Amino acid sequence: MQIREIHERLGARGALPCHVRRLLRRWSQALPPGHGRLRPEDVPPQSARAEFAAIEAELAGLATVAAEHPGEDGSARLLVRLADGQTVESVLLPRDGVCVSSQVGCAVGCVFCMTGKSGLLRQVGSAEIVAQVALARARRPVRKVVFMGMGEPAHNLDNVMEAIELLGTVGGIGHKQLVFSTVGDERVFERLPQGPVKPALALSLHTTRPELRAQLLPRAPRIDPADLVELGERYARATGYPIQYQWTLIEGINDGPDELDGIVRLLAGKYALMNLIPYNTVDGDAFRRPSWERAAEIARGLHRRGVLAKLRRSAGQDVEGGCGQLRARMLGSEATVAPPARRRVSPPA
Ligand SMILES: C[S@@+](CC[C@H](N)C(=O)[O-])C[C@H]1O[C@@H](n2cnc3c(N)ncnc32)[C@H](O)[C@@H]1O
Ligand code: SF4
């Protein structure tokens, strides 16, 4: 379901925009039914009441929790069932955050990512994205929403931007607390600055070497990492919030001195933060994460050379691994539709 559809259906029955906003506020913030003072002008016209009831019932059935796995770090990984039976993952993050999915599967096919193995199964509708936030809010407070779950938000831009607009207005989430995570796509840099709600941007860089990036992210747009950083810097300056770069650290692949020199060359002096995320083991993959000590040394080395770098554990690593793995394990072979042939990625020379 799309949010614009809700506006259209209720508008056609004579509801005013303020009536629709009230419904969307209550739903997206998971407020209890009798919440807030009801003024006479808040009551929708008789002609729209049945449609309001029908839409509320549809919204309630958009997403339900099929499984919940609490983690030791205060996070919880939810397997969310959508109305057609498809499932996506959401993660309740420590410190009032939620990580949502924007697609069932993903077409980019990053070689280290479980979600990429299934290919794209379908888009997640804008209302289904907001429903993941509403589900999370029914469990705990949410002040931050990151689009770092299953899927590439740039490949579902209309729905993601619609959800962002709702969450950043009646949804009550600060614009900077909405984080759009992408491998980088020209359309993102055109579209994000135009929206009424401008989210923060996370760019999944992973390497500074164009040829290695093409191997690691086989179907990401071929934008040179240096150009990607320039586009990111422009967005950071326009919005006033820094770009977060994401770097999945894989031993022997992108943790060598050449890459660290590359990061310093691209990011020193930029309005940016580098998040180093040690590779989270995916069943059946041969990649390894570097030791925590080595990863910490990399972060300290970058810091010394003028790049703000943070070493992150991906939330809920102990709960069925990283993004897409809970879904795959719960669905068994159903979830993984003929994985694409694995390309060999050799360690950098
Ligand atoms: C799952 S993606 C979703 C958002 C978007 N498609 C992207 O790539 O930025 C979010 C982040 O998870 C990271 N990720 C995926 N698989 C991982 C793994 N096995 N270990 C660590 N990080 C992983 C990706 O590198 C990416 O930065
Ligand atoms: S890391 Fe992001 S872009 Fe790559 S396959 Fe996974 S979800 Fe898709």
Side-chain angles (χ1 to χ4, degrees), residues 106 108-110 113 116 151-152 183:
C106 180
V108 181
C110 300
C113 174
E152 168 51 46
V183 294

Side-chain angles (χ1 to χ4, degrees), residues 43-253:
V43 179
Q46 186 67 44
S47 56
R49 292 201 196 146
E51 194 66 356
F52 266 95
I55 287 178
E56 285 194 75
E58 282 174 52
L59 293 178
L62 275 182
T64 50
V65 175
E68 179 165 358
H69 292 247
E72 284 166 10
D73 56 359
S75 67
R77 194 171 285 271
L78 306 182
L79 185 69
V80 174
R81 192 176 305 288
L82 306 174
D84 65 352
Q86 285 288 5
T87 48
V88 290
E89 291 181 16
S90 302
V91 185
L92 309 181
L93 303 169
R95 293 177 295 282
D96 298 347
V98 63
C99 171
V100 295
S101 292
S102 58
Q103 297 185 304
V104 184
C106 180
V108 181
C110 300
V111 294
F112 47 78
C113 174
M114 185 52 134
T115 302
K117 291 180 193 293
S118 61
L120 176 65
L121 302 181
R122 81 156 165 89
Q123 303 291 15
V124 175
S126 55
E128 289 173 326
I129 295 173
V130 177
Q132 295 173 61
V133 178
L135 269 188
R137 279 176 152 166
R139 285 168 161 66
R140 41 169 101 169
V142 169
R143 288 183 300 113
K144 181 170 184 158
V145 179
V146 302
F147 289 77
M148 294 182 185
M150 295 166 57
E152 168 51 46
H155 290 180
N156 188 15
L157 208 42
D158 288 342
N159 282 311
V160 169
M161 292 312 285
E162 208 170 83
I164 282 177
E165 188 175 333
L166 187 146
L167 291 168
T169 52
V170 293
I173 307 277
H175 299 187
K176 199 180 164 180
Q177 304 302 325
L178 291 158
V179 183
F180 186 113
S181 176
T182 175
V183 294
D185 190 302
E186 296 283 357
R187 291 168 291 186
V188 167
F189 296 102
E190 280 161 24
R191 189 76 179 271
L192 262 54
Q194 292 170 14
V197 176
K198 293 174 191 45
L201 190 60
L203 289 174
S204 292
L205 195 61
H206 307 308
T207 173
T208 58
R209 302 166 58 202
E211 67 290 356
L212 177 61
R213 199 163 191 270
Q215 284 181 282
L216 292 175
L217 289 64
R219 285 176 293 280
R222 296 280 189 268
I223 306 178
D224 189 295
D227 296 334
L228 204 50
V229 169
E230 278 316 311
L231 289 163
E233 184 69 3
R234 219 175 291 158
Y235 186 72
R237 300 283 165 199
T239 54
Y241 16 96
I243 299 296
Q244 300 170 43
Y245 288 94
Q246 322 237 82
W247 192 283
T248 297
L249 262 180
I250 310 175
E251 191 180 65
I253 302 283

